[in-house]
Amino acid sequence: MTATASAKTIIEAREVHKHFGSFHALKGVSATFSEGQVTAIVGPSGSGKSTFLRTLNRLEAHDTGTIRIDGIELNDDLKHLDAIRREVGMVFQSFNLFSHLSILRNITLAPMRVRKMDKAQAEAKALALLERVGLGNQALKYPVQLSGGQQQRVAIARALAMDPKVLLFDEPTSALDPEMVNEVLGVMRELAHTGITMLAVTHEMGFAREVADRLIFFDHGVILEDTTPENFFTNPDHERAKTFLAQVRHGF
Amino acid sequence: MNWIRQNPAWVMVGAMVGLLLFLWGMAIPLSAAPAPIGQAAQQFAEGSRITVLLTLIAGSAGVVIGVIAGLGKLSAFPPFRWLCDFYVWLIRGTPLLLQILFVWLAVPQFLPESMQISDFSCAAIALALNVGAYNTECVRAGILAVPQGQVEAARALGLSPLQTFMDIVLPQSMRVALPALANNLASLVKDSSLAYAISVVELTMVGYRVQAESYQPIPVFLTTACIYLILTTAFTTLTAALETQLDVGRKR
């Protein structure tokens, strides 16, 4: 954690628990994230890392504990939820572009509906964002006509169109063919330097080490390590983290 | 069917114009036909227009009913779900002719003298309720076919539940439900003939009357059948083109 440590807190999770039936997915997770921080969340599958990310914009409702985003408590109050979702963007593993809408319309829909932006303004913004992710000439195509990597870059542009303060990435490269991973990581790398708060659940250890300010290791529903990437990769505290690293280490 | 695929918009316009020309122009060639068809040409044309009007009114109302009841069957509010289940169970379990007779004979007894409805309206109401029940199942299947990720993406972008439904779920579910809805509409063209039982002068009633006056059932019923075939062909062409139109961005 560098200069961002002194910055304002934007996400505060305290003692968050989540059950799926009898499965205890999150066992009292507490963490705070400051503005502008880039956090990589890693861990074995089923460790609760994606669930934790999804509780942050209430795609999963947590059972107990408190979550505050930008000072607003995340609870059943729909007003709070709407306010939070406007500020928190999300990029999914399987892209989830709206299949019946053109690329342009995918990006303009939320700004027009939620931010009440007029069409010309929304389209100009969408085209600028598409340009930024290197897809300026694909605006009128449909998602199915694009490759996985291109779709994920559109999904990032779609999230950015709402000017979120926080961007959540849920395994953004896991559904991609290997040769497409880098084009998405390139966009994420560029974003990390713009000062947006990013939380990325990822299996890309190279990316985590190179780009993240902070690294969180999840195991069995708890945060086992919360440290810098450098520390985690060179000198992890826990045996579980060492085992995990040994398993993922090949290839980077 | 390639030409439908390539120009769905033109096919739709063509089918509609063709249908209108047929409905208002068929009396001209028919009047040149030998007795007993020739002198009944205007009656056939008028009966066809009533059949089409009945189909369109009941068909459109039936789609609205289908969407509402289809949603109701998926509702989280049990009484609404039970009501919709009961409606579908009742309509699908009883004959259409009985439903038409019930609306025509029984419903007026509940209504005050000043609110009596025409025979045509009775037929339209009964047919709409009937096709609505069948549409309900198609719409429900369509909604269930929309991937959960599409809803999550919309909600994560800050769209409200209503916006998510109108902009994302409904258009995508219609793409799935449309072939089945179109099938119901084609059946409705023919089912509307049962309105003859409550003295609505639609196409079948015209045929019945003309043969009763002329004692020539064979040419009269052949003419009636031909007109029905032309009507159903127009409707299926229209819906096939609409399907193609809505099919954009979908994997084939």
Side-chain angles (χ1 to χ4, degrees), chain B:
Chain B
M1 293 310 232
N2 245 343
W3 52 277
I4 295 190
R5 286 228 171 282
Q6 274 146 22
N7 304 301
W10 285 110
V11 174
M12 276 158 73
V13 172
M16 272 188 266
V17 170
L19 185 62
L20 290 175
L21 281 178
F22 176 69
L23 288 176
W24 270 271
M26 68 181 318
I28 300 163
L30 270 184
S31 59
I37 308 300
Q39 59 266 47
Q42 284 301 341
Q43 288 182 62
F44 277 111
E46 181 61 27
S48 308
R49 291 195 285 266
I50 296 290
T51 290
V52 169
L53 189 63
L54 198 52
T55 304
L56 288 180
I57 291 174
S60 330
V63 169
V64 176
I65 294 173
V67 170
I68 294 170
L71 266 181
K73 284 196 93 160
L74 299 170
S75 162
F77 182 58
F80 195 39
R81 215 162 53 223
W82 297 330
L83 183 71
C84 295
D85 282 339
F86 174 75
Y87 159 67
V88 173
W89 172 77
L90 180 74
I91 298 288
R92 290 207 302 191
T94 55
L96 174 56
L97 183 56
L98 183 73
Q99 294 159 16
I100 292 174
L101 290 171
F102 186 85
V103 173
W104 189 54
L105 293 169
V107 171
Q109 298 203 349
F110 304 123
L111 296 175
E113 202 62 39
S114 57
M115 274 186 60
Q116 294 307 330
I117 44 178
S118 68
D119 300 340
F120 179 85
S121 306
C122 288
I125 291 168
L127 286 167
L129 286 173
N130 184 270
V131 76
Y134 289 92
N135 287 349
T136 299
E137 291 301 321
C138 311
V139 172
R140 191 180 72 99
I143 291 173
L144 288 177
V146 177
Q148 186 57 26
Q150 298 280 311
V151 176
E152 286 187 354
R155 302 290 289 124
L157 281 165
L159 266 67
S160 70
L162 183 67
Q163 287 170 332
T164 301
F165 179 73
M166 296 305 287
D167 284 321
I168 308 299
V169 177
L170 190 62
Q172 290 196 20
S173 64
M174 277 301 140
R175 245 172 15 182
V176 177
L178 198 69
L181 292 177
N183 194 37
N184 289 351
L185 186 71
S187 303
L188 186 63
V189 176
K190 297 164 289 161
D191 287 346
S192 70
S193 67
L194 285 171
Y196 100 104
I198 60 170
S199 65
V200 175
V201 189
E202 46 64 68
L203 187 53
T204 301
M205 177 64 124
V206 169
Y208 181 75
R209 282 185 180 172
V210 174
Q211 70 83 32
E213 285 161 18
S214 61
Y215 303 107
Q216 292 193 53
I218 292 173
V220 172
F221 286 139
L222 282 180
T223 307
T224 312
C226 286
I227 296 175
Y228 271 116
L229 278 170
I230 292 168
L231 295 182
T232 48
T233 306
F235 275 109
T236 46
T237 308
L238 196 64
T239 47
L242 185 63
E243 251 169 66
T244 314
Q245 186 79 358
L246 290 181
D247 209 25
V248 287
R250 202 165 163 206
K251 283 194 183 103
R252 266 192 265 285

Side-chain angles (χ1 to χ4, degrees), chain A residues 41-198:
Chain A
I41 303 177
V42 303
S45 53
S47 61
K49 56 193 194 302
S50 279
T51 305
F52 176 63
L53 199 73
R54 288 164 61 86
T55 56
L56 296 181
N57 66 351
R58 215 170 174 79
L59 286 180
E60 305 290 354
H62 54 285
D63 300 334
T64 56
T66 53
I67 297 175
R68 284 175 172 278
I69 314 277
D70 207 13
I72 308 169
E73 182 165 359
L74 196 53
N75 52 23
D76 285 330
D77 189 330
L78 284 178
K79 275 213 176 67
H80 288 189
L81 187 57
D82 288 345
I84 286 169
R85 280 183 173 157
R86 279 196 291 269
E87 306 307 333
V88 180
M90 186 152 190
V91 174
F92 298 87
Q93 180 177 358
S94 49
F95 332 132
N96 295 348
L97 292 182
F98 304 130
S99 58
H100 64 303
L101 301 177
S102 69
I103 297 307
L104 187 65
R105 194 87 183 100
N106 258 280
I107 302 176
T108 58
L109 182 72
M112 286 171 66
R113 289 285 188 275
V114 182
R115 297 254 192 245
K116 309 292 174 203
M117 201 183 273
D118 68 56
K119 194 174 177 205
Q121 207 185 342
E123 286 185 350
K125 183 170 194 182
L127 288 171
L129 283 167
L130 279 176
E131 208 58 61
R132 187 165 155 196
V133 299
L135 296 169
N137 51 352
Q138 312 282 346
L140 298 178
K141 290 193 177 170
Y142 283 86
V144 68
Q145 294 168 289
L146 302 189
S147 72
Q150 290 174 323
Q151 289 193 50
Q152 194 61 298
R153 285 186 280 156
V154 172
I156 295 172
R158 178 174 70 175
L160 289 175
M162 288 295 286
D163 292 320
K165 290 185 177 147
V166 180
L167 205 44
L168 308 175
F169 292 85
D170 189 5
E171 302 195 23
T173 57
S174 298
L176 295 175
D177 292 339
E179 70 266 30
M180 293 171 182
V181 169
N182 278 329
E183 62 185 66
V184 172
L185 291 182
V187 170
M188 289 171 66
R189 193 173 290 126
E190 188 248 324
L191 270 178
H193 299 304
T194 61
I196 192 171
T197 312
M198 283 169 64

